[in-house]
Amino acid sequence: MPRKRQPHNKTISMQESHAYIVPLDEVIATKKFSKLFRDKILTKYSVAQAHLIAHVLDTFPLSREDGHAVPLPYNVLWKKFPSLYKDGELQQLLDDGIFDRDYFSPSEHKCYYYVAGATLLAWLEEDKREKYIESLLNEPLVRLVDGQRAAALKHLLFDNEGKTIPALNKQALASLTTNIVNYQELDWELNLLARDSERGDYRQRQRQRLKVQIITSYIRSILRQKHWTISQGGRPLLVYVPAYKGSRFGRLFERGGGMQAMPKALKQVAYDFLSVHAYNYDVRSCHVALIAQLCREEGHPLPVLEEYVSHKDAKQEYARKAQMDVQLWKACIISLFYGSQLGKNRHFSLYRDMWESYEAGDAPYTEVDVDRTYENFLNVGLPFIQARQVWLQILKDKIVPRLTYKTNFVMNQVGCTKKIPDACTVAELRAMSSFVCIGYEAAFIDHLMTLHEAYGWENRSIEHDGLITQGRIPEEAIAKARNLSAFYTAHLEEAFF
């Protein structure tokens, strides 16, 4: 049982107590939910009881309380699942050893803290003996609401606002039928991450636990899809049918994250099998190259951008001068040309990128370190800041009028539309900049995907400004995609796994 804690000075809110209850239609079985829920829980307990168990299992790894206890206020449970109290269902879970809890005190504004009981701990220990992905290959993921198989997701031909995605997006999705990954290597890496989550100080452990949870949610979305295994070159591989959704700027996102959202290190192990000839392509300095092209077409060439995109290692050299990580430099340059405000304010995307970069690392840091990195970027990136001013003015005066579609709307290169704002504030220009750039990026990748049959490769995964394929993309196809999308300076590079 958790030790008694000091009384709280205020009522615990849902956010502060980690008591947010995930909606039923969002809860799909993970490894610890699938066999466990179907064979042990859903056959014995009600939906409300099963939902509470699912919530605690999904929450307690991130709890900072003793024993990973999860505080659950009475009013939250009563509002969400009144049967837990009316029908004695909560007491049944306590009697059966599913949960233990400490004391409750209205006078101290103290709610119960729940931890896994002896029965639930025994089930979880049994579950640990199996590999995560391998144990689920032949076991369907189930819906918590009724224990039945969760339906596989399909391509969603709408954006977040309910608008139908452009025809080019649909054609690209039609060319994407299966993806192939090395599930054994993914299993091994996931096991290593889980071990790492038990090492280090509190901050390091929590960050690793959150990372493991996010990655397992991506794997869960993959295993929810129709899938099967094959053997090539002596390696067992997982084949699954991916599902994507559209967005209002034209990018396509894999539903549930899937392989598209995986960290690069896990993509490396998942696709690193020579037997199927997997290739990873991305556009070099994609948006910088595009902005340089558009400014040149409008009669205002920007030498610093032209020089940047013409040298393959330019980003490494600039990052070294600024004493920054290369990925952080890239993120800051993109934020800059999307119109991010300059200033030491974590609400500004450029400065926030720096904070998040330090936070993602293992080394201790202070605000002084972040400020020093920001000053280094300003000093080295001054020519880019000046070029940004020229770009935003060209965007406002020439690009938007040229792309105007009907009245008061602009259409980007992939076919998405956006209302022209009445006043071009910094925020509106930032949104318009990303809208135009992402449109060209998506048009180039989508046109490239539609050429796969004519030029003999298979599309596996969309990477926004890149593509993972089975088979090499010939230069003729790349040149054709440039002409079809009008992104004439797109330089598609092969990035080795």
Side-chain angles (χ1 to χ4, degrees), residues 133 181-190 259 266 269-270:
I133 302 174
V181 295
N182 188 332
Y183 69 87
Q184 287 187 330
E185 290 297 325
L186 274 178
D187 243 340
W188 175 248
E189 290 296 322
L190 192 61
M259 284 306 303
L266 293 191
V269 300

Side-chain angles (χ1 to χ4, degrees), residues 319 321-325 328-329 332 344 350-351 353-355 357-358 365-381:
K321 291 178 183 177
Q323 301 177 30
M324 296 170 63
D325 176 76
L328 176 59
W329 169 266
C332 290
K344 297 176 182 179
L350 192 151
Y351 192 67
D353 287 338
M354 297 179 183
W355 271 99
S357 176
Y358 274 99
Y365 70 95
T366 66
E367 189 170 350
V368 174
D369 298 314
V370 184
D371 289 346
R372 183 177 60 252
T373 300
Y374 177 76
E375 296 296 337
N376 290 343
F377 177 79
L378 290 186
N379 292 333
V380 176

Side-chain angles (χ1 to χ4, degrees), residues 15-128:
Q15 265 193 329
E16 292 167 328
S17 67
H18 308 286
Y20 171 70
I21 305 294
V22 180
L24 273 174
D25 58 358
E26 294 180 15
V27 180
I28 300 297
T30 65
K31 179 181 187 302
K32 61 177 173 281
F33 297 163
S34 56
K35 186 175 181 180
L36 184 66
F37 265 64
R38 188 179 67 245
D39 296 348
K40 299 182 184 299
I41 295 177
L42 285 172
T43 57
K44 181 176 182 180
Y45 297 114
S46 70
V47 169
Q49 291 170 312
H51 201 164
L52 181 58
I53 297 171
H55 173 71
V56 174
L57 285 175
D58 228 14
T59 306
F60 81 80
L62 299 178
S63 172
R64 64 185 65 188
E65 302 294 337
D66 294 340
H68 297 299
V70 178
L72 289 173
Y74 168 88
N75 61 326
V76 173
L77 292 181
W78 177 265
K79 181 179 179 180
K80 293 289 182 179
F81 306 112
S83 64
L84 291 175
Y85 294 100
K86 290 181 179 179
D87 302 331
E89 293 177 351
L90 183 56
Q91 187 60 48
Q92 181 187 6
L93 295 175
L94 297 170
D95 293 342
D96 290 351
I98 303 300
F99 295 130
D100 289 333
R101 65 182 184 182
D102 61 359
Y103 73 103
F104 164 72
S105 173
S107 62
E108 298 172 356
H109 303 289
K110 165 73 177 61
C111 66
Y112 281 115
Y113 281 65
Y114 292 78
V115 295
T119 302
L120 187 55
L121 287 173
W123 290 346
L124 292 176
E125 185 61 34
E126 176 186 334
D127 207 48
K128 277 184 180 177

